[in-house]
Amino acid sequence: MTLKECAAERKWKFKFLLILIGLVIFTGSDLLVKTIVEKKLRNIPETVSQYMFKQFLTVDTEDGIIANAYKEQDDGSYVLAEKNAKKLHEIWKKIRRFGLDHRKEIIPGGWYFVYETNEDIGFSILRWLDKYMSDTAKWLLLVCLQGGGVLLIFTYFLYVKEMYMFIPLAVIVTGALGNVIDRIFRGYVVDFVMWIFKFIPHPLFNPWPIFNLADVYTVCGAISLFILIVLFDIKTRKLKDK
């Protein structure tokens, strides 16, 4: 029995296997790389001089999050005492303007690994909601939108019968799931791939909006699905013509 025949005979088991493999490869790799990027490229100094601490305080707001995060040492320096992940993220957003983050250059002038967070969705198209919704309400809306989209595609995956659609749909579901998990547990999505297209004289491409592996998997899965649908549609038409 061929793999195709085996899969056709046990579609539910085959679909479950694809999702399981996708969770390990696509969701797992996306979350793992995001964790590494956050650890390696995001820079919240553990120890700062008195001068740098005063510079940090210039961007501190009424909540005094930076003032409360660092403790003064006997030598006049300040050491980071804050351990809460959410507060560390807020500190990073305040001090990032000082250019402390690391940047990994892959292709000079074209491809970089950077640390960036997205509390919106692609191209920040829902940023206008900040005027009308609290941070919590917007977070809940984005979780519902992203999670609902993944659930919708997953439901379609379960009921689709065409074999050629199984793999790309599984890639889309398990790839996109990485961003949903990120949104739920971090409150934002970590992005890290930055491309600059200097040969295209438009600000949109310099740089192109920063993205992550989940975005790559989702886009590749969608493109593959589109190509396969077109190819099989052409094949079906040819068979009907005969």
Side-chain angles (χ1 to χ4, degrees), residues 4-234:
K4 184 176 181 179
E5 292 171 340
C6 180
E9 190 173 306
R10 302 178 177 86
K11 283 185 178 180
W12 286 102
K13 292 183 179 179
F14 187 61
K15 287 181 178 181
F16 176 77
L17 179 62
L18 286 177
I19 289 295
L20 187 61
I21 293 173
L23 287 172
V24 173
I25 296 177
F26 302 114
T27 308
S29 63
D30 175 65
L31 295 175
L32 176 61
V33 172
K34 285 174 179 174
T35 301
I36 294 173
V37 166
E38 187 169 64
K39 183 178 180 181
K40 298 292 185 180
L41 300 183
R42 186 183 75 173
N43 185 22
I44 303 175
E46 293 288 335
T47 304
V48 296
S49 65
Q50 190 176 54
Y51 171 78
M52 181 57 72
F53 182 67
K54 289 181 179 179
Q55 293 298 307
F56 285 176
L57 292 182
T58 62
V59 297
D60 211 1
T61 53
E62 296 177 358
D63 55 18
I65 187 171
I66 296 178
N68 295 325
Y70 283 89
K71 302 300 180 184
E72 186 175 8
Q73 303 299 292
D74 294 336
D75 61 359
S77 64
Y78 288 79
V79 63
L80 182 65
E82 184 61 67
K83 301 299 181 183
N84 181 275
K86 184 176 181 180
K87 288 185 177 181
L88 286 173
H89 176 62
E90 292 300 320
I91 292 171
W92 171 79
K93 288 199 299 183
K94 293 176 185 293
I95 68 173
R96 62 177 304 187
R97 67 186 64 186
F98 294 102
L100 301 173
D101 287 338
H102 304 295
R103 175 182 289 194
K104 181 69 174 177
E105 188 177 59
I106 308 301
I107 298 177
W111 181 8
Y112 299 88
F113 283 159
V114 299
Y115 177 78
E116 184 59 83
T117 62
N118 187 358
E119 297 178 30
D120 208 292
I121 58 176
F123 296 93
S124 298
I125 60 175
L126 294 182
R127 182 175 294 177
W128 57 275
L129 288 176
D130 293 342
K131 298 180 181 179
Y132 308 101
M133 303 178 70
S134 65
D135 292 343
T136 301
K138 185 178 179 181
W139 169 81
L140 184 59
L141 173 64
L142 293 178
V143 169
C144 291
L145 286 175
Q146 287 186 302
V150 172
L151 184 60
L152 186 64
I153 298 172
F154 179 68
T155 302
Y156 180 66
F157 169 76
L158 292 179
Y159 284 95
V160 73
K161 297 180 180 179
E162 291 78 6
M163 288 285 297
Y164 66 87
M165 299 177 71
F166 288 3
I167 293 179
L169 283 172
V171 171
I172 293 172
V173 170
T174 55
L177 192 59
N179 281 343
V180 176
I181 293 173
D182 225 21
R183 180 82 62 186
I184 292 173
F185 290 98
R186 279 194 171 99
Y188 52 87
V189 174
V190 173
D191 294 324
F192 54 89
V193 182
M194 182 174 74
W195 283 348
I196 298 176
F197 303 97
K198 293 181 179 179
F199 57 91
I200 303 178
H202 193 283
L204 174 63
F205 296 91
N206 296 285
W208 179 259
I210 302 172
F211 56 95
N212 56 41
L213 278 181
D215 300 326
V216 173
Y217 296 147
T218 304
V219 171
C220 288
I223 292 174
S224 299
L225 182 63
F226 176 77
I227 292 173
L228 288 172
I229 289 174
V230 171
L231 290 177
F232 275 85
D233 182 60
I234 292 173

